[in-house]
Amino acid sequence: MISFKKRFKSHHLLSHEALLRRLKPKYRHNENLQANYHSYRAGYLGEKSVDYKLSLFPKKDFFHLPSLRLQNNFHFFQIDSLVLTPKLIFQLESKNIKGTLQYNGMHKQLIQIDGDKKTSYKDPILQAEIQKRHLMQWLQKYGVKIPIETIVVSANPNSLIQNPHNDPTFNDRFISLENLIFRMDEIYHSYHEHLLTLSQLKNLYHLLVQHDMPLSSDPIKYYNLKKHHFIQGVACERCFYSPLKRGRGYWTCPKCAEKNLLGHERVILDYFLIHRPFITNNICRELLQIASPDTSYYILNSMGLEKTGGNKNRKYLAPNLDQFPQDAEPKLFELSILDR
């Protein structure tokens, strides 16, 4: 039995995609915003590459948990991928960094060399070990005793891994994506005792899912954004003019006459990601630049959102994070930036 929990984009990535759709162009080209978006996107793509490799792991009884965030006492810790097996738990951390990667065990640093630029990162081996200790303490609270093996995966196929001081821990724990399955298989066969039954594995899997606490970001506060930074209403997907005018069941661009049936849905979903996890009829009218409460009421109800309260106090709630579209990368973003 193989159980794979699907990986979804994090709130950080989704909210940055939303910002790059909703911010006016001159604010969209903020260097910090673009760098963060590129980092979150690269991390997600690297993790997806690891997911694919894990699907080839030749073991029947294992469970895969992506992007797991747990609380240990007063601290939260995040694990990119967790693989539960009857013998042991694999804790995988992915690094999607291009260029040459040099490890310095003495100073606990990973150095990225990309052309003439050098960038220092925290020791990924040490980071994984800290997460491992948190996980061990968390599992002990529930009476689970099983070995945990950490592996850091270089998910970028174009990166060159160098260990100039031949650090044995780095050689053992930092591997390329292509070598992941072989290394996991090697480690798996070094353990001989089955410590958990299939039923116990299932229970542990559901326990971890139950206690997963995904992190939500606050981009408004982080980037100090104000109302005047944002596009007003629904924007035209052809010429980018805004706001579009609401006609009989669709949106029309006054500039190029392009029609859009569901342009409001993306705007409302982006509002949830950027501003707050609920919306009201009044806020919706201002957001979409429409005057009619009845039109706003129809639009909000057509999206099938959960709601609380009644009449003037009614709030429409944001869907769960895994229900947001996963393929809605910002069209208004300069794609050349992504390929740097």
Side-chain angles (χ1 to χ4, degrees), residues 82-147:
L82 205 65
V83 179
L84 312 179
T85 80
K87 297 180 180 181
L88 74 152
I89 292 176
F90 289 101
Q91 175 193 317
L92 308 180
E93 302 297 318
S94 64
K95 299 294 179 184
N96 191 7
I97 307 173
K98 65 178 181 178
T100 300
L101 307 181
Q102 289 186 348
Y103 181 68
N104 188 321
M106 181 178 296
H107 298 290
K108 302 300 181 184
Q109 289 179 318
L110 183 69
I111 308 299
Q112 176 197 25
I113 304 173
D114 186 17
D116 296 329
K117 183 180 178 182
K118 287 188 176 182
T119 306
S120 174
Y121 295 90
K122 294 179 180 179
D123 183 353
I125 308 296
L126 183 59
Q127 286 182 306
E129 184 62 29
I130 292 172
Q131 304 296 64
K132 173 183 174 179
R133 292 183 182 183
H134 280 300
L135 180 59
M136 289 178 65
Q137 293 173 5
W138 192 92
L139 291 171
Q140 286 173 1
K141 295 178 183 178
Y142 295 94
V144 179
K145 293 183 179 180
I146 190 169

Side-chain angles (χ1 to χ4, degrees), residues 205-263:
Y205 173 85
H206 291 300
L207 181 68
L208 289 163
V209 170
Q210 179 184 351
H211 285 84
D212 184 24
M213 303 177 68
L215 179 64
S216 293
S217 60
D218 186 354
I220 294 291
K221 182 178 180 181
Y222 183 84
Y223 294 108
N224 193 28
L225 297 171
K226 308 297 180 184
K227 183 179 178 180
H228 68 271
H229 292 127
F230 291 93
I231 294 169
Q232 297 299 306
V234 179
C236 178
E237 293 185 359
R238 174 186 287 180
C239 70
F240 308 145
Y241 177 89
S242 67
L244 301 188
K245 301 298 182 182
R246 180 70 178 179
R248 295 183 177 180
Y250 53 83
W251 302 89
T252 304
C253 179
K255 184 177 180 180
C256 71
E258 175 80 357
K259 288 183 170 56
N260 190 320
L261 182 64
L262 300 174

